[in-house]
Amino acid sequence: MKNININDYRTADYPIDEMFLNRWSPRSFSEQEVDEETLKTVFEASRWAPSAMNKQPWRFILARTEEDRKKFHSFIMDGNLAWCTTVPAFALVISDTEAGGAHAFDTGTAWGYLALQAMQKGLITHAMGGFYKDKAREVLNIPEQYEIHAVVAIGYQDEKEKLEEKFQERELPSDRRPLTETVMEGEFRA
């Protein structure tokens, strides 16, 4: 499954760079460690995301040692833990609420840059909302001024057959709704 033809699953209606189609969120992660330079390159890309008044409100708490990954496992919900125990690196995405009203928007952009750079380096990423935020805050000593957004799994893709059967059928790139359902001109339309 690693060498899928993305065009069998995704087609853009308008010309865009192929990287946008090629990035998706697999669940089958190899246990292969990600070297320090590659990880730093991924986070370096997120550093260059735009932000309101250049406040750069995003922060990433990285877990790549066995001890730190176990901390993350303690707050990841069972539905995600079922597939992510082989993930070699996690990042908890948080933002500084004191940076202003655009903190979450800007942090989402930084995550997007990270995901695209990871894909360019041969890595996969999978962002998860299925985790206990209060427990993450407690386990990782996160101050209240930081909003907790997502856990991102980072690593190399493995064969889908290594996943539980219930995940294997979902191990495909998903399509997107058409622009006509997303972009409204002039005013809101349902």
Side-chain angles (χ1 to χ4, degrees), residues 59-119:
R59 303 291 186 275
F60 301 98
I61 300 174
L62 181 60
R64 59 186 172 144
T65 67
E66 184 176 347
E67 179 183 349
D68 287 343
R69 288 189 302 256
K70 283 183 180 180
K71 287 180 188 177
F72 274 60
H73 292 170
S74 76
F75 55 77
I76 294 173
M77 292 179 180
D78 289 344
N80 286 323
L81 201 54
W83 61 262
C84 75
T85 56
T86 60
V87 170
F90 292 102
L92 184 70
V93 183
I94 63 176
S95 63
D96 185 349
T97 61
E98 293 180 3
H103 70 91
F105 180 81
D106 293 345
T107 299
T109 303
W111 139 248
Y113 277 37
L114 180 153
L116 290 171
Q117 182 64 47
M119 190 253 331

Side-chain angles (χ1 to χ4, degrees), residues 87-152:
V87 170
F90 292 102
L92 184 70
V93 183
I94 63 176
S95 63
D96 185 349
T97 61
E98 293 180 3
H103 70 91
F105 180 81
D106 293 345
T107 299
T109 303
W111 139 248
Y113 277 37
L114 180 153
L116 290 171
Q117 182 64 47
M119 190 253 331
Q120 295 283 33
K121 296 298 286 180
L123 299 170
I124 60 171
T125 54
H126 190 113
M128 296 174 259
F131 67 101
Y132 301 101
K133 291 181 180 182
D134 289 342
K135 179 129 190 206
R137 186 177 301 282
E138 176 188 328
V139 169
L140 301 178
N141 300 309
I142 301 168
E144 287 297 323
Q145 82 182 53
Y146 290 90
E147 185 173 336
I148 300 171
H149 298 286
V151 174
V152 178

Side-chain angles (χ1 to χ4, degrees), residues 164-182:
E164 290 180 34
E165 192 171 322
K166 66 181 179 181
F167 295 118
Q168 288 182 31
E169 62 192 42
R170 296 174 59 193
E171 193 70 352
L172 299 168
S174 56
D175 200 4
R176 295 294 186 264
R177 70 173 148 248
L179 281 181
T180 56
E181 294 179 20
T182 305

Side-chain angles (χ1 to χ4, degrees), residues 15-41:
I16 60 173
D17 192 291
E18 288 183 13
M19 74 175 169
F20 297 106
L21 297 174
N22 290 330
R23 197 230 53 88
W24 61 290
S25 301
R27 289 176 181 81
S28 186
F29 281 79
S30 162
E31 293 182 23
Q32 178 185 345
E33 295 294 323
V34 180
D35 66 85
E36 171 116 6
E37 186 171 330
T38 301
L39 268 178
K40 294 290 171 101
T41 296

